[in-house]
């Protein structure tokens, strides 16, 4: 999301200014407010992911763990999601990126957002 641009730099500048934590926390609050505003304006879950990642990254500096409430996922749905993620991983390893992207799109259509991290891919169900 475009509104997330510059937040990291402002946050770092505040922290570099004699650990101005009130200002740094203010930037986190502003970013959270913008994410909520974009969500209320019907931004797609995928469009919000970069800003949400940035918010979690910066909140982690203070040891804050930000998690959205998860929609309860049935065991059958969780198994289906995990199977689709395994298929996507296999396709990516085989360098079949277009097919892997189609699997991601299928998951997105089911309301599942994937986040590729250095530790592996994680998923969450969104509204």
């Amino acid at each position: 999301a475009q509104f997330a641009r510059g937040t990291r730099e402002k946050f770092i500048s505040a922290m570099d200014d004699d650990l101005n934590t009130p200002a740094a926390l203010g930037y986190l609050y502003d970013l959270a407010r913008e994410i909520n505003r974009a969500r209320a304006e019907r931004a797609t879950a995928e469009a919000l992911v970069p800003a949400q990642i940035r918010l979690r990254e910066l909140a982690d500096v203070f040891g804050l763990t930000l998690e959205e409430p998860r929609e309860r996922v049935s065991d059958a749905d969780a198994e289906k999601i995990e199977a689709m993620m395994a298929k996507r991983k296999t396709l990516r390893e085989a360098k079949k990126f277009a097919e892997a992207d189609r699997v991601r799109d299928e998951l997105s259509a089911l309301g599942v957002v994937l986040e590729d991290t250095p530790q592996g891919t994680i998923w969450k169900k969104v509204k």
Side-chain angles (χ1 to χ4, degrees), residues 1-97:
Q2 192 154 5
F3 54 82
R5 289 195 177 120
T7 300
R8 184 173 193 273
E9 291 76 17
K10 291 181 210 173
F11 180 91
I12 290 171
S13 178
M15 293 299 286
D16 284 346
D17 181 21
D18 201 24
L19 287 177
N20 188 349
T21 56
L25 286 170
Y27 293 126
L28 293 181
Y29 176 80
D30 291 344
L31 182 54
R33 186 179 59 239
E34 291 300 320
I35 290 168
N36 289 333
R37 181 178 297 140
R39 184 179 289 137
E41 293 172 359
R42 305 269 188 231
T44 65
E46 276 188 14
L48 294 174
V49 168
Q52 291 169 327
I53 290 170
R54 178 59 39 99
L55 182 61
R56 284 189 202 105
E57 168 198 11
L58 297 176
D60 188 53
V61 170
F62 293 114
L64 302 173
T65 303
L66 306 177
E67 292 293 326
E68 291 190 33
R70 288 190 174 199
E71 182 179 314
R72 179 73 180 126
V73 177
S74 72
D75 290 341
D77 286 344
E79 286 179 24
K80 178 180 178 180
I81 292 166
E82 294 291 334
M84 291 176 75
M85 286 176 55
K87 177 180 177 182
R88 178 177 174 264
K89 181 180 178 184
T90 301
L91 290 168
R92 289 181 62 171
E93 289 169 351
K95 301 200 183 306
K96 295 181 179 181
F97 299 111

